[in-house]
Amino acid sequence: MTAITGAHFIAGEESREGRNIFTGVNPRTGERSTVQFADATPDEIDRAITEAKAAFEIVKAYPVEKLALFLETVAGEILRLGDVLLRTADWETALGIPRLTGERERTCNQLKAFAGYIREGSHVDAIIDTGDPDIRRMLFPIGPVAVFGAGNFPFAFGVCGGDTASAWAAGCQVVVKGHPSHPQTSELFARAVYGAIEKCGFPKGWFSLLQGAGEEVGQNIVLHPLLEAVGFTGSLRGGRALFDMAESRPRPIPVYAEMGSINPMFITEGAIERRFESLAEELVNSITLGVGQFCTKPGVIFIPDTAPAKTFMKHVVAMMDRKPPGILLNGRIRKNLVHAVEQSLRIPEVKLLTGGKAVDGATAFENTVMVTDAATFLKHSELQQEHFGPVVLFVFCENADEMRKIAAHLPGQLTGSIYAEKSEYHHMGPLFHELIQRVGRVILNGVPTGVRVCHAMQHGGPYPATTAPLTTSVGMTAIRRFLRPVAFQNVPEELLPEPLKNENRKGIMRLVNGRHTRDSISAPPAE
Amino acid sequence: MTAITGAHFIAGEESREGRNIFTGVNPRTGERSTVQFADATPDEIDRAITEAKAAFEIVKAYPVEKLALFLETVAGEILRLGDVLLRTADWETALGIPRLTGERERTCNQLKAFAGYIREGSHVDAIIDTGDPDIRRMLFPIGPVAVFGAGNFPFAFGVCGGDTASAWAAGCQVVVKGHPSHPQTSELFARAVYGAIEKCGFPKGWFSLLQGAGEEVGQNIVLHPLLEAVGFTGSLRGGRALFDMAESRPRPIPVYAEMGSINPMFITEGAIERRFESLAEELVNSITLGVGQFCTKPGVIFIPDTAPAKTFMKHVVAMMDRKPPGILLNGRIRKNLVHAVEQSLRIPEVKLLTGGKAVDGATAFENTVMVTDAATFLKHSELQQEHFGPVVLFVFCENADEMRKIAAHLPGQLTGSIYAEKSEYHHMGPLFHELIQRVGRVILNGVPTGVRVCHAMQHGGPYPATTAPLTTSVGMTAIRRFLRPVAFQNVPEELLPEPLKNENRKGIMRLVNGRHTRDSISAPPAE
């Protein structure tokens, strides 16, 4: 294993031109890494994206099997990094080896899942209408994509995370802007990617890693004329800034920003009565998972204004209290969390039940529970904003109808959960339908943390959960963000791309004259 | 038939509060209509969109069959308007009764095609992954949509045009901003829509028609907090202005703007030699169709720098010369066209071969042919901009490679066409693949005008052809612009929407555990 150098990796070449220096920091000890990283310069950014564009011209001719093999090879190369990846990431994030081991598995499985998905071939969404004129359409890669890695998932939403995997699967080149909170981890991933590029014979411009802690780096990436799209996971402030920049370009490009959520959870009397102990445990585990640094963390829990619900809440408070505070990812997250909690507690009708303060010494924050009533929650928009960390707000509601009304006033959310007993479903119908309009994923009797990577997953939601509510950043359909339809009119068989030819050699699913079929077309196309 | 009143139609109620007055104008004579229209006021706009939102809450519970019947009923009500629709539109647009009769048929067929499409049911894109957790997702309507009608297609892209039909098919309410160039035509359509609303028992807020000639009307619509998306067909300037406004909102919303194109056409030596006469006729008909006021009009034609090609061009010039100039839709289009042609002719290397001037007396412009060379075309961005009207620019190219290079420098286009003989296909491969990256539809040996309404049609393209290159405004997949995915996690059968239940009652196509199938699911879902 080569030592970590602190360079950018631009089409396989190390580069180090910038003067704004930053380093990784161990959030457990505050110790700074000896490896220095620098903000990518405009010239470095230009080289990375120009090389990506050049790689596009080569890779667009590759068969899909070659792309699939590349994705699988990256997964193998990540595992080949071995323990140094886990140890480095743990040093930079304090997320712990077990969690990181699991996240690594998810990251590799995700790459392999996309390989399987594109190998099957139906993802090009082939549609054919024979007749006069003969029209056939399928999806094509859009070109160079920039991915802004997230701080809270250094693997699964990092250099080789979901955005990157889905862009690669689409046939798009990726320029990653590594998260400044774990630059050494990012560099290790870059080495794994170039290992796969080498083994698979891809052009080196297919991937670049740019490091940076300053806002200008992101700006210069998003404003580059050859860039076609942006994937981002992070804060509302950061995502919106990139979105505004991208839309202000002479040629606007889409920004797929996932910007977090308060993930409202609605709990009925029946659920509290029947599941008391297990429910409290599920909740506390979900709230404190990854030290509350999940975009799907349940941030606000709506419970009935009844004596059993109050007892339940007290039980949750006691469990939160007993949990030792975890180490947050970095000082900035702690600072933002201190600010958000202070702001909420400044509202007289919001009461602190436990926690509420930063922990001295380490980069940590106490496990925190606050409580308020429905009217206060609706009146104060600051309560409707994400508190990124191990913090939850209980809100007392009169009845199911008040819960529905609250849901109707919520800004867009990644998820919405309902805990209810079967006998209560008929009461919960209106709330359930309200949530469909507000969230990307509706969960029944389960916590929102834990996003299964599968075909049906929708990890997205109306603004401000994302800037692109019609798309997802997790699951196989995430690939569609990087594919553009092109129609062919009266194009003869010999010029048509494989998936649109009469003979359906791979037997992919196509919509032919309005009918889904894997059959070949017997009639010759118009010419 | 009730007389045309000049009112807005807000959830079925006539309204007339504004003071900025405008009228329809007969472009043949310059005569002003006696019916006065007014710009919609902020209050009128607010009522229309608020009523649309209220209608959403009702219609979202309707079965898809009820939506399909509504679409078909609208088609019937449009036909029931009878000749008055054709005569009124002809008076306002000068497009002629035959063309308008054809366009009416297309408009009605489009409504019926969407009815058939949603009735089949697979458009909800149901995806199911059983297991733990059980995840099922499908598409849901996004809510109120504003449609800005186009001037050049008063029917097919008008009040009941493709944007409206696809939004309705998705289950979204539509507030139409009528084009100020044919307000009386728009009003007639509104009457047809309310006829269908009445017959089908829909809430009146399901549709509103707002009139307006001032820019503030569009602004106030796009900035309304309850609006979810915008469909627009028109100029780059107009589309970009709406886009910028929508993206600057506290909660940005998508703008699906189709903003025209120069629709490059590449012609080989072989095609000129073998098709001389028929090709010239096809071209001239396509350039002058609808007086050149098609977003798919071939605006720039690239031909080889050879003697036969020059002869061919002269032949086209002679044919253009012989065609009497047609009447343009309105004075503003003529003014813009005069400006665009003057700007192009100011370039010394651009030569005028015929036409070039506005026609005295009527709202018309001479059939115009200009010519230049490849280097000049690449150097001057004004030549790469749409000249909306019966105007074409020939560009001489050295060889197929120069054609490819030009294609690589083109801004995004709705279409790109190649005329070539079979023996030349191997030369044209690089150009063909270049066009795939630049255009929404690649055409071989055919003109771009005439957009077939079918499943496979892609009427879109990279910016500046549209603001949303991953979508289409014509064809069945246009519906996807107004549908948002929602996933359900561990939701029991009784709460799941019909398309996601275990039993696939309608036999729609679903992706179940990665496999396309119309089968029901035998295993019970997790609970």
Side-chain angles (χ1 to χ4, degrees), chain B residues 95-138:
Chain B
L95 286 172
I97 298 294
R99 143 76 192 266
L100 289 166
T101 306
E103 192 181 331
R104 181 177 64 176
E105 193 187 349
R106 174 184 162 173
T107 305
C108 292
N109 285 345
Q110 190 162 260
L111 287 158
K112 289 187 260 183
F114 275 112
Y117 184 56
I118 62 172
R119 188 173 275 137
E120 193 275 333
S122 301
H123 68 287
V124 298
D125 199 14
I127 308 182
I128 297 174
D129 288 296
T130 61
D132 186 20
D134 180 281
I135 307 281
R136 307 181 179 213
R137 77 129 223 185
M138 61 174 275

Side-chain angles (χ1 to χ4, degrees), chain B residues 142-153:
Chain B
I142 55 171
V145 171
V147 170
F148 288 74
N152 58 339
F153 277 89

Side-chain angles (χ1 to χ4, degrees), chain A residues 60 125 129 133 240 243 247 249-250 422 436-437 439-442 452 455-456 480 484 487 489 494, chain B residues 56 60 125 129 133 240 243 247 249-250 422 436-437 439-442 452 455-456 480 484 487 489 494:
Chain A
K60 71 182 185 187
D125 198 16
D129 288 295
R240 180 70 196 241
F243 176 82
E247 306 314 319
R249 291 164 46 117
K422 207 175 165 74
I436 291 176
Q437 281 174 245
V439 313
R441 178 164 50 113
V442 180
R452 183 179 170 198
H455 295 83
R480 298 186 191 167
R484 184 174 71 80
Q489 178 166 328
E494 61 193 284
Chain B
F56 182 57
K60 71 181 185 188
D125 199 14
D129 288 296
R240 181 69 195 242
F243 176 82
E247 306 314 320
R249 291 165 46 117
K422 207 175 164 73
I436 291 176
Q437 281 174 245
V439 313
R441 177 164 51 113
V442 181
R452 183 179 168 198
H455 295 83
R480 298 187 191 167
R484 184 174 70 80
Q489 178 166 327
E494 61 193 284

Side-chain angles (χ1 to χ4, degrees), chain A residues 141-379:
Chain A
I142 55 172
V145 171
V147 170
F148 288 74
N152 58 340
F153 278 88
F155 299 171
F157 289 85
V159 172
C160 296
D163 281 339
T164 300
S166 54
W168 277 339
C172 294
Q173 312 65 53
V174 177
V175 173
V176 171
K177 155 71 172 62
H179 195 281
S181 197
H182 53 255
Q184 303 181 86
T185 304
S186 296
E187 182 171 330
L188 288 173
F189 273 104
R191 292 169 186 275
V193 175
Y194 286 116
I197 282 178
E198 189 97 2
K199 285 188 178 165
C200 298
F202 273 51
K204 297 233 169 75
W206 175 248
F207 170 79
S208 289
L209 169 65
L210 301 170
Q211 305 270 15
E215 286 184 4
E216 295 79 14
V217 180
Q219 278 173 29
N220 289 326
I221 291 173
V222 170
L223 295 176
H224 195 284
L226 293 178
L227 196 68
E228 295 293 341
V230 176
F232 170 91
T233 306
S235 70
L236 175 56
R237 198 184 134 270
R240 180 70 196 241
L242 294 183
F243 176 82
D244 286 345
M245 258 181 294
E247 306 314 319
S248 76
R249 291 164 46 117
R251 179 174 69 86
I253 56 173
V255 172
Y256 304 109
E258 190 269 85
M259 305 177 295
S261 202
I262 59 171
N263 302 297
M265 182 177 277
F266 299 87
I267 304 183
T268 64
E269 287 178 61
I272 288 175
E273 192 182 323
R274 294 284 295 275
R275 299 166 188 242
F276 196 95
E277 192 63 44
S278 67
L279 179 53
E281 204 175 310
E282 264 177 75
L283 279 189
V284 171
N285 286 341
S286 182
I287 295 161
T288 57
L289 194 66
V291 200
Q293 299 163 116
F294 271 50
C295 45
T296 51
K297 180 205 74 176
V300 183
I301 298 175
F302 300 92
I303 53 172
D305 191 3
T306 62
K310 275 173 189 146
T311 308
F312 173 76
M313 184 177 72
K314 277 180 198 154
H315 190 60
V316 168
V317 169
M319 290 175 78
M320 289 283 282
D321 233 6
R322 276 200 297 275
K323 278 217 161 190
I327 308 288
L328 293 166
L329 290 161
N330 57 56
R332 186 163 152 174
I333 284 176
R334 185 169 66 167
K335 194 179 138 200
N336 289 341
L337 186 56
V338 167
H339 175 73
V341 170
E342 278 178 2
Q343 206 178 29
S344 294
L345 290 175
R346 223 171 282 142
I347 301 164
E349 293 84 4
V350 175
K351 289 196 171 45
L352 180 68
L353 299 180
T354 184
K357 292 195 307 294
V359 176
D360 289 340
T363 309
F365 196 90
E366 297 171 350
N367 295 320
T368 298
V369 183
M370 303 180 287
V371 64
T372 194
D373 58 276
T376 304
F377 177 80
L378 284 175
K379 206 167 78 183

Side-chain angles (χ1 to χ4, degrees), chain A residues 2 29 118 264 270 273 280 306 395:
Chain A
T2 325
T29 61
I118 62 172
E273 192 182 323
T306 62
V395 178

